[in-house]
Amino acid sequence: MDLEEDIRSLQLDSAEDINGVVNPEDEKPDVDKMDEDPKQEVQAQSVEAEPKAKVKEILSVQDEEDEQMKKRHLNVVFIGHVDAGKSTTGGQILFLSGQVDDRTIQKYEKEAKDKSRESWYMAYIMDTNEEERVKGKTVEVGRAHFETDTTRFTILDAPGHKSYVPNMISGASQADIGVLVISARKGEFETGYERGGQTREHVQLAKTLGVTKLLVVVNKMDDPTVNWSKERYDEIESKMIPFLKQSGYNVKKDVSFLPISGLMGLNIKTRLDKSLCSWWDGPCLFESLDSIEVPMGDPKSPFRMPIIDKFKDMGTVVMGKVESGTIRDGDSLLIMPNKDHVKVVAIYIDENRVTLAGPGENLRVRLSGVEEEDILSGFVLSSAANPISTVTEFVAQLQILELLDNAIFTAGYKAVLHVHSVVEECEIVELLQQIDPKTRKPIKKKVLFVKNGAIVLCRVQVNNVICVEKFSDFPQLGRFTLRTEGKTVAVGKITAL
Ligand code: GTP
Ligand code: MG
């Protein structure tokens, strides 16, 4: 049986997953104000440009738990091969939802032209740093916000280039749903889809990281080599379906496809004009995003928020996504693994202060009782009565993907462990049992090493104490990836602590 089948079977049991969290490694906490992330530039502008009503709406419902939770919040990660049009589409969404004005677009058009990257101006909305603009490639995950009638969305614009897969993992691990952007341009779909192309790697990682629903957007339909061709669209869809199935997605339930042009802004906010594309009867991107149903974490379970970043601002502020439970102003919580007792002074969703927040929300939380220096990303803000587990060793079921140069995987193997916002060196200290990928049954023979494609139960050790949970208790805090020299070599789930 082939490797992809195996991945699928490993991942299928994660179908009920809740959501993910961030990975810190590229997010350097070097600022002392709330808008420290350069990527927030767009958001900051948008707040100015937008009517104050939005701010008011959230503020005015502060005291009403139900009201506050009314409009759901979803993190959407944009994934896909380099140059597929992720940033362009993300930028277009912000433009079409009224967050970026014409003047800014004109400014970007000029800047892009000066850099001989005319067609990249839309991507500049998401690609805010100089390196990204010069090279025309996203490096850091861009973050921006927009909302539809039913949902507040945070867009996480992942980089497609293979050098930046760790940043992509960071973005995807925070996401509830994924928009997989595929270029329909002649040759581009093919390169992305090939072995070694990031279309494949991103899909597999997304599934492993808990992105349960995928919207596959077939982009660049306006390109002269495509020209809204139904044949090209069908070809891409038919090639993607088997692969998505192998990666563990239930294509009927969890995946939908639609054609768009990110650059032209077509089939994004409004449906396609029949005169342009007679064969597409389906929804536009906003409608599709709106209608995706995602199971949310339990607001009544013990509170868990992995910390992705922290800074000083009238106290200590930590950032992260709530994985389970509810946080309220005045709560007494623990920062694990150090067991620092802290008190919640203020909670912010985007720039709005709220009195409580539940699963799925991206928060900034001001705390008293702890110094910023005493917090590291990867720490977890936890319920005091029922704190997260802390370990230096755990047992996990690993699916080996592709080892470097077909290396063998044995006790003593070292890799970098990515689990929620933790990034730590780890070592496989013992292989306990191999599992037959075909029958899913344990193989009796003692296992000393395994190769690509194997499923194996093993003991994993880390140098520093980390906060994790069993996959069966908190999927998002118990799933991980192992990477070696910049390549994802295995995915796994924690089975015992
Ligand atoms: P990375 O961040 O490097 O992974 O790339 P990306 O997926 O964010 O792609 P980006 O948005 O930077 O776009 C890459 C190129 O594709 C730019 O030249 C865009 O103008 C072009 N492009 C994106 N969307 C479309 C589209 O809908 N139609 C056409 N014709 N070109 C597009
Ligand atoms: Mg990009």
Side-chain angles (χ1 to χ4, degrees), residues 4 107 119 171 197 265 289 310 323 387 392 437 475 497:
E4 282 150 359
K107 198 180 92 193
S119 64
L289 285 170
K310 42 107 197 226
E323 286 305 338
T392 53
L497 296 173

mmCIF file of all heavy atoms in Angstrom, residues 4 107 119 171 197 265 289 310 323 387 392 437 475 497:
data_model
loop_
_atom_site.group_PDB
_atom_site.id
_atom_site.type_symbol
_atom_site.label_atom_id
_atom_site.label_comp_id
_atom_site.label_asym_id
_atom_site.label_seq_id
_atom_site.Cartn_x
_atom_site.Cartn_y
_atom_site.Cartn_z
ATOM 1 N N GLU A 4 0.725 7.436 0.795
ATOM 2 C CA GLU A 4 -0.379 8.350 1.011
ATOM 3 C C GLU A 4 -1.582 7.675 1.652
ATOM 4 O O GLU A 4 -2.294 8.264 2.445
ATOM 5 C CB GLU A 4 -0.753 9.013 -0.312
ATOM 6 C CG GLU A 4 0.246 10.125 -0.628
ATOM 7 C CD GLU A 4 0.434 10.355 -2.098
ATOM 8 O OE1 GLU A 4 -0.190 9.633 -2.884
ATOM 9 O OE2 GLU A 4 1.225 11.238 -2.449
ATOM 10 N N LYS A 107 -0.997 53.384 -4.698
ATOM 11 C CA LYS A 107 0.362 53.473 -4.159
ATOM 12 C C LYS A 107 1.099 52.138 -4.382
ATOM 13 O O LYS A 107 2.246 52.108 -4.817
ATOM 14 C CB LYS A 107 0.277 53.777 -2.655
ATOM 15 C CG LYS A 107 1.557 54.315 -2.072
ATOM 16 C CD LYS A 107 1.407 54.587 -0.578
ATOM 17 C CE LYS A 107 1.836 53.386 0.220
ATOM 18 N NZ LYS A 107 1.473 53.396 1.621
ATOM 19 N N SER A 119 2.432 43.006 -11.569
ATOM 20 C CA SER A 119 1.217 42.241 -11.252
ATOM 21 C C SER A 119 1.136 41.888 -9.767
ATOM 22 O O SER A 119 0.180 41.270 -9.324
ATOM 23 C CB SER A 119 1.181 40.962 -12.085
ATOM 24 O OG SER A 119 2.264 40.132 -11.722
ATOM 25 N N GLY A 171 1.260 28.889 10.507
ATOM 26 C CA GLY A 171 -0.033 29.424 10.074
ATOM 27 C C GLY A 171 -1.117 28.360 10.109
ATOM 28 O O GLY A 171 -2.204 28.568 10.646
ATOM 29 N N GLY A 197 6.499 19.363 -4.941
ATOM 30 C CA GLY A 197 5.753 20.624 -5.040
ATOM 31 C C GLY A 197 5.024 20.871 -3.727
ATOM 32 O O GLY A 197 4.692 19.930 -3.013
ATOM 33 N N GLY A 265 -10.253 39.808 -9.110
ATOM 34 C CA GLY A 265 -11.305 39.900 -8.099
ATOM 35 C C GLY A 265 -12.597 39.239 -8.542
ATOM 36 O O GLY A 265 -13.691 39.664 -8.160
ATOM 37 N N LEU A 289 -17.057 30.481 2.035
ATOM 38 C CA LEU A 289 -16.449 30.608 3.362
ATOM 39 C C LEU A 289 -17.532 30.705 4.435
ATOM 40 O O LEU A 289 -17.428 30.108 5.502
ATOM 41 C CB LEU A 289 -15.562 31.856 3.414
ATOM 42 C CG LEU A 289 -14.222 31.766 2.694
ATOM 43 C CD1 LEU A 289 -13.564 33.140 2.607
ATOM 44 C CD2 LEU A 289 -13.287 30.779 3.390
ATOM 45 N N LYS A 310 4.523 37.380 23.291
ATOM 46 C CA LYS A 310 4.284 38.132 24.527
ATOM 47 C C LYS A 310 5.018 39.445 24.430
ATOM 48 O O LYS A 310 5.978 39.572 23.665
ATOM 49 C CB LYS A 310 4.798 37.318 25.716
ATOM 50 C CG LYS A 310 6.162 36.640 25.432
ATOM 51 C CD LYS A 310 7.295 37.254 26.125
ATOM 52 C CE LYS A 310 8.623 36.834 25.520
ATOM 53 N NZ LYS A 310 9.621 36.453 26.467
ATOM 54 N N GLU A 323 -7.777 27.231 22.684
ATOM 55 C CA GLU A 323 -8.040 25.883 22.179
ATOM 56 C C GLU A 323 -9.205 25.228 22.890
ATOM 57 O O GLU A 323 -9.912 24.402 22.320
ATOM 58 C CB GLU A 323 -6.794 25.005 22.331
ATOM 59 C CG GLU A 323 -5.710 25.327 21.346
ATOM 60 C CD GLU A 323 -6.170 25.269 19.903
ATOM 61 O OE1 GLU A 323 -7.170 24.603 19.595
ATOM 62 O OE2 GLU A 323 -5.527 25.932 19.075
ATOM 63 N N PRO A 387 -4.868 22.189 35.134
ATOM 64 C CA PRO A 387 -3.854 22.703 34.194
ATOM 65 C C PRO A 387 -3.416 21.667 33.164
ATOM 66 O O PRO A 387 -3.618 20.463 33.363
ATOM 67 C CB PRO A 387 -2.691 23.095 35.103
ATOM 68 C CG PRO A 387 -2.867 22.282 36.333
ATOM 69 C CD PRO A 387 -4.327 21.983 36.478
ATOM 70 N N THR A 392 8.570 15.658 29.815
ATOM 71 C CA THR A 392 9.807 15.696 29.027
ATOM 72 C C THR A 392 9.862 14.455 28.136
ATOM 73 O O THR A 392 10.804 14.254 27.393
ATOM 74 C CB THR A 392 11.066 15.707 29.917
ATOM 75 O OG1 THR A 392 10.971 14.612 30.822
ATOM 76 C CG2 THR A 392 11.194 17.007 30.683
ATOM 77 N N PRO A 437 0.597 -1.112 8.376
ATOM 78 C CA PRO A 437 -0.221 -0.075 7.749
ATOM 79 C C PRO A 437 -1.463 -0.645 7.061
ATOM 80 O O PRO A 437 -2.459 0.050 6.921
ATOM 81 C CB PRO A 437 0.706 0.563 6.713
ATOM 82 C CG PRO A 437 2.061 0.030 6.955
ATOM 83 C CD PRO A 437 1.929 -1.212 7.768
ATOM 84 N N PRO A 475 -7.173 17.135 20.777
ATOM 85 C CA PRO A 475 -6.458 16.821 19.527
ATOM 86 C C PRO A 475 -5.420 17.875 19.147
ATOM 87 O O PRO A 475 -4.313 17.552 18.754
ATOM 88 C CB PRO A 475 -7.573 16.755 18.486
ATOM 89 C CG PRO A 475 -8.811 16.511 19.254
ATOM 90 C CD PRO A 475 -8.623 17.056 20.624
ATOM 91 N N LEU A 497 1.066 9.959 28.110
ATOM 92 C CA LEU A 497 1.974 10.941 28.705
ATOM 93 C C LEU A 497 2.721 10.317 29.869
ATOM 94 O O LEU A 497 2.232 9.380 30.480
ATOM 95 C CB LEU A 497 1.188 12.159 29.200
ATOM 96 C CG LEU A 497 0.478 12.956 28.107
ATOM 97 C CD1 LEU A 497 -0.406 14.033 28.725
ATOM 98 C CD2 LEU A 497 1.483 13.602 27.171
#
